Amino acid sequence: GAVVSQHPSWVICKSGTSVKIECRSLDFQATTMFWYRQFPKQSLMLMATSNEGSKATYEQGVEKDKFLINHASLTLSTLTVTSAHPEDSSFYICSATSGEGYNEQFFGPGTRLTVL
Amino acid sequence: KNQVEQSPQSLIILEGKNCTLQCNYTVSPFSNLRWYKQDTGRGPVSLTIMTFSENTKSNGRYTATLDADTKQSSLHITASQLSDSASYICVVSGAGFQKLVFGTGTRLLVSP
């Protein structure tokens, strides 16, 4: 149990276009989902926290108008990178928690975004 | 400031050998500590999770220890295999808040 999926697993886009990444909790209801970004040889950096039905909370330095997060249901959150630029190229990982027990976060497999 | 530091940054060992990875944290108040394995280009996968009252927890060839007094944890890998080559991340959860504090990870390479 506790499986989180992401789609797509990788995407290449042109500079200036927008890209949507989906994160789904497959076998549990995720009260909270998190979006992380990871650059090569670095650890995960939290971008934003989203609760179902409410606005996401962004970390300092993360542009909310550039990284649009929608958590429309208890099993789906989306991250849209708007007007992507090469510096947005990174590995984006989502995680989800049901809020029970250890409040453990279950991570998705990640999405590799390359902006040309 | 809540921080998690890991050592060594990278490690190369021969297949079949054991190794120990270290994690020191300053997160307070403390809730739990997790060790994750992250293969290149993949999301982190949980290995162990320990609360304040737990000193050790095993998951197959992985054994984690926790000393909440000194705020230190270790991950011991026994009889390493080539598939153990990955980054190992120590993550601490503070009591009362959702955000996790990530260590920078230890990159392990198991050589044949």
Side-chain angles (χ1 to χ4, degrees):
Chain A
V3 178
V4 176
S5 70
Q6 282 183 241
H7 178 80
S9 55
W10 58 271
V11 57
I12 301 173
C13 69
K14 292 183 179 180
S15 185
T17 61
S18 294
V19 175
K20 180 184 285 188
I21 302 171
E22 291 186 349
C23 176
R24 294 181 184 271
S25 56
L26 299 184
D27 50 5
F28 67 101
Q29 292 189 324
T31 54
T32 306
M33 286 185 168
F34 305 82
W35 286 97
Y36 296 86
R37 182 165 50 182
Q38 186 177 32
F39 293 105
K41 297 186 179 181
Q42 294 186 22
S43 194
L44 282 71
M45 293 173 51
L46 180 64
M47 299 175 66
T49 302
S50 75
N51 294 293
E52 184 263 341
S54 61
K55 289 185 178 181
T57 301
Y58 290 81
E59 295 300 296
Q60 190 173 9
V62 178
E63 300 175 57
K64 62 180 181 180
D65 294 329
K66 180 170 184 63
F67 299 99
L68 302 179
I69 292 172
N70 186 318
H71 192 164
S73 76
L74 284 172
T75 59
L76 173 65
S77 176
T78 60
L79 168 68
T80 301
V81 183
T82 62
S83 186
H85 288 95
E87 57 265 31
D88 298 324
S89 298
S90 187
F91 192 53
Y92 292 87
I93 304 174
C94 73
S95 71
T97 179
S98 64
E100 299 177 356
Y102 292 129
N103 204 27
E104 183 166 5
Q105 291 187 26
F106 300 97
F107 290 87
T111 296
R112 171 74 58 192
L113 169 62
T114 302
V115 185
L116 302 177
Chain B
K1 184 178 179 181
N2 293 321
Q3 286 185 319
V4 176
E5 294 183 351
Q6 292 186 241
S7 62
Q9 282 190 334
S10 61
L11 181 63
I12 302 174
I13 62 173
L14 291 175
E15 185 179 10
K17 297 296 185 181
N18 304 335
C19 68
T20 300
L21 314 180
Q22 301 292 341
C23 172
N24 297 332
Y25 63 92
T26 59
V27 178
S28 182
F30 173 85
S31 176
N32 56 73
L33 182 147
R34 312 122 186 258
W35 282 94
Y36 288 91
K37 177 186 179 186
Q38 185 178 22
D39 292 311
T40 300
R42 305 291 295 173
V45 175
S46 180
L47 295 175
T48 63
I49 180 169
M50 290 182 292
T51 60
F52 182 89
S53 59
E54 296 175 291
N55 300 120
T56 184
K57 184 163 282 189
S58 292
N59 179 359
R61 295 179 296 103
Y62 301 102
T63 299
T65 64
L66 173 65
D67 185 334
D69 291 330
T70 62
K71 298 186 178 180
Q72 296 179 325
S73 177
S74 66
L75 180 69
H76 186 74
I77 304 175
T78 304
S80 61
Q81 300 176 358
L82 298 179
S83 58
D84 291 332
S85 296
S87 287
Y88 291 84
I89 307 173
C90 176
V91 182
V92 179
S93 176
F97 53 92
Q98 291 180 312
K99 282 191 270 189
L100 303 178
V101 185
F102 287 79
T104 52
T106 293
R107 295 170 63 87
L108 173 66
L109 175 63
V110 180
S111 174

